[in-house]
Amino acid sequence: MKGGTSWWRGVYLVMEGSAPRYRGNWRICLVSGFVHPTLLLLALGLGVGGLVDGGPQERRVGDGLPYLEYLAPAILVVGAVQTAVGEAIHPIMTGLNGERTYYATVSTPITPSQLAVGHVLWVAARIAVTTVCTCVAVLVLTDVPVAPAVGAAVVALLCGTAFATALSALAVVTADGTGLITLVTRVMILPMVLLSGAFFPFALLPVWLHPVAWALPLWHGVELARGADGALPHLGYLLAFLTAGTALTLTRFRRRLTA
């Protein structure tokens, strides 16, 4: 498949081939995408927020906002990144090592590059579904206006997709291993969430940890979703991360699937 239209037709076919596994459980995906952030917002935003908002450090911890509104943009971004883990890694582990469907796919006119782009776009679509569900929960449970909530959802989609590209490249390299999703969740996601300022102001972290947080996409996503000053550097970082991750994913797919 060569040429502009036919090349993208191949990408579309890759995405279409990923859809059947969700046709039977899309309702469950939508419900879980709404219920999980709802429980987080209720437990942390109202539960912990009741202690924070009534405490002596109210304005320092909540940035002058009710804790629920302070937390909501971060929940959107964190949820997108968490969704990226399973959606980016599991299909690659299955396609290269389990059912080995990727080898069958590239034996057709579909190329490894089309397969890689189709995979990334499908993961982005799945992140978008989760993000929309979370955004609905935010609008229902908080006083965050529609425009900032939608803006934070767009940032969450960008951050989650950028992170997914890096995970996809990693999954191609380690496709013969096991437990990658668990490893990433424990070793990468948990520290990133703690260092991102999602649940408490970034300024409360020790100064020596600040450079570590600056290197993490989640921190930039959370800051951008909250409408922090100096948005362009955060946006530039995420776009650069997305570009580099996509290029690395393309390279890894080509090397792995080109005989």
Side-chain angles (χ1 to χ4, degrees):
M1 292 186 179
K2 297 181 179 180
T5 303
S6 60
W7 195 91
W8 284 106
R9 171 66 177 170
V11 172
Y12 170 77
L13 290 175
V14 172
M15 296 178 67
E16 186 179 49
S18 301
R21 79 183 74 166
Y22 296 102
R23 286 175 182 164
N25 65 351
W26 64 269
R27 294 178 183 84
I28 297 175
C29 293
L30 289 179
V31 170
S32 63
F34 180 81
V35 171
H36 183 246
T38 296
L39 293 176
L40 280 177
L41 288 169
L42 290 175
L44 296 177
L46 296 180
V48 176
L51 300 175
V52 172
D53 293 337
Q57 295 183 340
E58 175 180 351
R59 297 194 62 82
R60 188 161 77 104
V61 175
D63 254 0
L65 294 172
Y67 186 69
L68 184 59
E69 294 183 24
Y70 176 81
L71 181 67
I75 292 295
L76 277 161
V77 181
V78 171
V81 169
Q82 289 177 327
T83 300
V85 176
E87 298 298 335
I89 295 176
H90 185 266
I92 293 177
M93 303 291 284
T94 301
L96 292 177
N97 191 44
E99 299 172 0
R100 299 176 65 86
T101 52
Y102 282 1
Y103 294 99
T105 300
V106 296
S107 68
T108 71
I110 294 176
T111 65
S113 296
Q114 290 170 309
L115 180 58
V117 173
H119 166 76
V120 170
L121 290 178
W122 176 253
V123 173
R126 291 286 297 117
I127 294 172
V129 172
T130 300
T131 302
V132 168
C133 293
T134 306
C135 189
V136 171
V138 167
L139 291 173
V140 170
L141 296 173
T142 74
D143 293 326
V144 176
V146 174
V150 172
V154 173
V155 172
L157 174 59
L158 172 60
C159 185
T161 304
F163 190 61
T165 59
L167 292 178
S168 297
L170 176 64
V172 173
V173 175
T174 59
D176 296 330
T178 57
L180 181 60
I181 294 177
T182 301
L183 180 65
V184 167
T185 301
R186 293 179 179 177
V187 177
M188 296 177 65
I189 299 300
L190 182 57
M192 277 207 309
V193 171
L194 294 176
L195 294 174
S196 67
F199 303 125
F200 54 86
F202 175 74
L204 296 181
L205 284 173
V207 175
W208 61 271
L209 279 176
H210 288 190
V212 178
W214 294 336
L216 302 174
L218 187 56
W219 176 74
H220 292 275
V222 169
E223 290 292 303
L224 189 58
R226 284 190 174 133
D229 295 334
L232 284 180
H234 298 303
L235 179 60
Y237 177 95
L238 291 176
L239 290 175
F241 199 98
L242 174 65
T243 301
T246 301
L248 187 58
T249 298
L250 283 166
T251 300
R252 295 301 183 187
F253 266 79
R254 292 191 195 111
R255 289 182 180 177
R256 185 67 184 257
L257 295 170
T258 301

